[in-house]
Amino acid sequence: MDSIIVSGGQRLNGTVSTSGSKNAALPILFASLLADGRHHFDNVPELKDIESTQQLLASLGATSERQGGSLLVDVEAPAAHVADYDMVRKMRAGILCLGPLLARYGEARVSLPGGCAIGSRPIDLHIETMRRLGADISSEGGYVVARAQRLVGDRILFEKVTVGGTENALMAASLASGTTVIENAAKEPEVVDLANYLIAMGARIEGAGSSVITVEGVEKLTPARHSIVPDRIEAGTLLIAGAITGGNVTVDCCIPEHLQSLVDKMRDAGFRVDTTADAITVQSTDSWQAVDIATAPYPGFPTDLQAQFMALMTQAEGTSVVTEHIFENRFMHVQELVRLGADITPMTQVAVVRGKRKGLSGAPVMATDLRASASLVLAGLVASGDTEVSRIYHLDRGYEHLENKLAGLGAKIRRVTTE
């Protein structure tokens, strides 16, 4: 099993590029099920979750192959419309094949999903969406079973903002009869990227990126070519890596406006952060002040950067309060940061972080989920001695060669394989 060993104390300097977004690529790959033929996707990152999605698509009759940074997906009607447990359990995004299968074939049998253990993340909003569009839904042996002759457009009002629910609604409504209005829709850039690909396929969508999206259903969609949006979470993680080491780091091939909430908080803490059209630079400072954050749907502070920012706050001057509003179990990284010497008191949804500059010491730690693993690597960058992060298969689900990118900036970091 692989682990990552970080030898702390190195200031990071230089320029590093952002890969394509995992959270955008996954729904877009599932959207390919809406149209037979060859779909061409550029800027697709090499990640475990992408591999798992390719395997799930293959089980549904869609073959795929890589050509450099591109992924070609050839879709044809599957023998069965079943997303098996062995496929879906690997990642929660597997539920995103529900809408496309149901809209295209009138039937879908999808296993209840797996993924990171950071909260219950129920799929009830996905199911209610399909019901609103006219599907009959039942639960059989751990599977969601949905059937409809053809989906019919309707008004969908989400009780709470849901990224995956909005994405499933967009895909299903694109082939539904009539008009669908999605209210309290997610505004995330990844949702906009999905909408852009659906539009390239021939879908009629207005309002993506706002809280109200209107979809006029069409009879048929056709494959297209699309470049995946840069990964704002990876970009933010790399930016925090530069900051926590007191370095000078430029993260390019990104979209700065997608990270405005992080940039604002880093400036509040005392960092100099400059942006251009496609890059963000953080410049060194000898000390930075503690600031509070509270996660929220976009454009608020991303829950996927909460753990990394908490690592940054362990090195701040003063006390910060981190409030997690999105997932109820996303403080599992706290106990591992404490093993490194951090002073953090967690409650259910609030953690108090008492900063102490250079107060971390290397130790063996264990990743509990994707973003937690990144936070432990960041903490290891400033801990004295060596920090060994185990169970980094979590990291490989969402970061493309993170250790190589950090090493390119001057970090002493390596991957090791043990029996």
Side-chain angles (χ1 to χ4, degrees), residues 8 21-22 115 179 198 205 230 253 296 372 386 405:
S21 168
K22 172 186 84 83
T179 301
L198 292 171
I205 300 171
C253 300
D386 290 348
K405 292 188 176 185

Side-chain angles (χ1 to χ4, degrees), residues 222-381:
T222 56
R225 183 168 184 170
H226 180 77
S227 183
I228 303 299
V229 72
D231 195 319
R232 62 192 173 102
I233 304 304
E234 184 200 34
T237 301
L238 293 168
L239 199 66
I240 294 172
I244 199 171
T245 63
N248 289 276
V249 169
T250 296
V251 181
D252 65 8
C253 300
C254 67
I255 302 177
E257 66 185 71
H258 290 173
L259 283 164
Q260 192 60 54
S261 60
L262 173 64
V263 169
D264 289 345
K265 286 297 182 179
M266 293 183 74
R267 286 172 174 164
D268 289 346
F271 293 99
R272 177 175 175 179
V273 185
D274 298 316
T275 63
T276 63
D278 63 353
I280 307 175
T281 299
V282 59
Q283 297 193 31
S284 62
T285 181
D286 291 334
S287 65
W288 52 91
Q289 300 301 310
V291 293
D292 299 339
I293 62 165
T295 64
Y298 187 85
F301 196 94
T303 181
D304 281 352
L305 285 175
Q306 175 255 107
Q308 300 92 308
F309 198 84
M310 184 182 292
L312 180 65
M313 288 298 97
T314 67
Q315 303 298 291
E317 299 289 341
T319 299
S320 58
V321 176
V322 176
T323 305
E324 175 58 55
H325 286 304
I326 308 300
F327 296 120
E328 74 277 12
N329 196 25
R330 204 160 202 180
F331 283 151
M332 291 189 293
H333 51 280
V334 169
Q335 61 186 358
E336 300 303 302
L337 289 173
V338 170
R339 280 179 52 79
L340 296 174
D343 187 352
I344 308 173
T345 303
M347 300 293 284
T348 304
Q349 289 184 282
V350 175
V352 176
V353 185
R354 300 168 187 86
K356 46 181 180 179
R357 189 76 169 122
K358 302 184 184 299
L360 302 184
S361 299
V365 291
M366 181 177 65
T368 54
D369 62 71
L370 169 56
R371 307 308 174 182
S373 60
S375 75
L376 298 177
V377 171
L378 296 184
L381 292 173

